[in-house]
Amino acid sequence: MSVWENSDEFSFRTPPLSEVEESLEENIGSETKEDFMAVIENRDEIRSSGDINEVSVSLVIAAKNNILLYDISKWGEDTGVASKATFSRTKTQLEDLGVIDTEKVPIDVGRPRLRLKLADESMTDMSADEMVEEIEQKISA
């Protein structure tokens, strides 16, 4: 028997990209999935300690597509990308930098949900990768 066959199973914290892609399309929508994948595929790496990470990318793409914070953060937590708290903290940082805005969306019962929007609406016409690149420059400035 080989070492491979006798080894213990190991689980990575990061979900496989195929699972992220599939769940994003099922839970959020195909436009958001296409934008997210365009950004991910055009990057050598998404640095978790750098200027922009997978949570930032998720939120910016969600803002481009006017997705609710609740929906994108629930998706992120369910797939193992990050916790809802991490999404919330990152959303606040991006708001403070003037990258995204939110608007309250009333619901039948409970507190209103927040719809993510780009602070600079002219960025909506950019490709997702160009938009993230411009935001990355803004963040590192």
Side-chain angles (χ1 to χ4, degrees), residues 41-57:
E41 290 168 358
N42 288 322
R43 303 270 173 199
D44 290 334
E45 64 180 64
I46 299 290
R47 300 171 302 274
S48 58
S49 62
D51 295 327
I52 194 160
N53 59 32
E54 62 279 357
V55 176
S56 302
V57 169

Side-chain angles (χ1 to χ4, degrees), residues 121-139:
E121 290 184 22
S122 68
M123 295 177 107
T124 306
D125 296 331
M126 294 179 167
S127 75
D129 197 45
E130 290 171 332
M131 184 186 66
V132 169
E133 195 171 301
E134 186 164 316
I135 290 169
E136 204 169 24
Q137 290 172 4
K138 187 181 271 192
I139 289 171

Side-chain angles (χ1 to χ4, degrees), residues 17-22 24 30 32-46 54 57 61 128-130 132-133:
L17 188 56
S18 58
E19 184 180 317
V20 169
E21 183 177 9
E22 183 179 306
L24 192 55
S30 59
T32 303
K33 180 214 60 155
E34 289 169 15
D35 286 344
F36 182 83
M37 294 308 296
V39 172
I40 297 300
E41 290 168 358
N42 288 322
R43 303 270 173 199
D44 290 334
E45 64 180 64
I46 299 290
E54 62 279 357
V57 169
I61 297 302
D129 197 45
E130 290 171 332
V132 169
E133 195 171 301

